[in-house]
Amino acid sequence: MRPADVAPAGVTVSPFDVDRDLDGVMAVDAASFVNHWTREMFLWEARNSDVARVFVARDEGGVVVAYCAVWVIFDELHINNLAVLPAWRRRGVARALLVEVLAAARREGATRATLEVRASNTPALELYGGFGFEQRGCRPRYYTNPEEDALVLWRETAPGSVETPGDE
């Protein structure tokens, strides 16, 4: 399944272009997180890290409506942030991003994926559960403002596997 198969009409998913997308990604981040990344953090990741990848979802006008920042380290994908503008949530944008992120990581040799998510973030837990992520741990008081536990989720796939939700 490709992002175009699952994205809402008019939404496209592609790799981050720092010059074109940075302001949009920062706007999504600020609308989504209390402890959001700074401009310097995004720039450092884009310009200095050989493991960092960022994908964006854009509307028909080219406006960034969501992003997903990850690291690909050897055979492992670590999802750092996945955020969607409030007006675009629950419309399939996060799912389309995740399909592309997992496919891109597979192309780079990743066979497993991990992330941390707030224990109270039911929509995210449902999304990740639909992709086969399972809770494998807990980081007590990992998040601040408000203080909350992080659930550590993992997804294992066979090398070369391309299954995503909806695939048989």
Side-chain angles (χ1 to χ4, degrees):
M1 191 172 292
R2 297 168 303 136
D5 298 329
V6 296
V11 173
T12 58
V13 176
S14 63
F16 173 72
D17 176 319
V18 69
D19 296 320
R20 175 183 178 187
D21 299 326
L22 181 58
D23 289 338
V25 166
M26 290 191 61
V28 173
D29 197 73
S32 302
F33 301 115
V34 175
N35 301 319
H36 53 272
W37 285 19
T38 65
R39 177 177 284 290
E40 292 73 26
M41 291 166 76
F42 280 111
L43 286 172
W44 192 94
E45 289 276 314
R47 295 181 176 154
N48 299 305
S49 175
D50 60 346
V51 300
R53 314 281 185 274
V54 179
F55 294 84
V56 295
R58 294 185 192 89
D59 69 9
E60 289 176 326
V63 175
V64 174
V65 299
Y67 82 94
C68 186
V70 305
W71 293 334
V72 180
I73 304 170
F74 301 111
D75 66 342
E76 184 177 301
L77 170 71
H78 184 90
I79 299 172
N80 294 313
N81 288 332
L82 193 158
V84 179
L85 284 175
W88 285 87
R89 291 180 186 157
R90 307 297 267 184
R91 294 172 57 184
V93 177
R95 186 173 191 271
L97 263 173
L98 202 48
V99 167
E100 178 56 29
V101 164
L102 291 170
R106 274 191 303 276
R107 290 190 295 270
E108 291 192 53
T111 59
R112 55 189 169 175
T114 188
L115 60 98
E116 293 92 10
V117 63
R118 282 185 181 270
S120 66
N121 192 341
T122 302
L125 290 166
E126 290 173 359
L127 172 71
Y128 296 126
F131 279 82
F133 283 86
E134 298 175 347
Q135 182 181 342
R136 300 277 175 83
C138 179
R139 299 186 198 284
R141 298 177 307 282
Y142 180 80
Y143 293 106
T144 59
N145 201 14
E147 188 175 280
E148 188 170 355
D149 294 349
L151 303 181
V152 180
L153 307 183
W154 280 91
R155 177 183 194 261
E156 307 279 339
T157 59
S161 172
V162 294
E163 82 276 355
T164 56
D167 289 353
E168 298 301 320

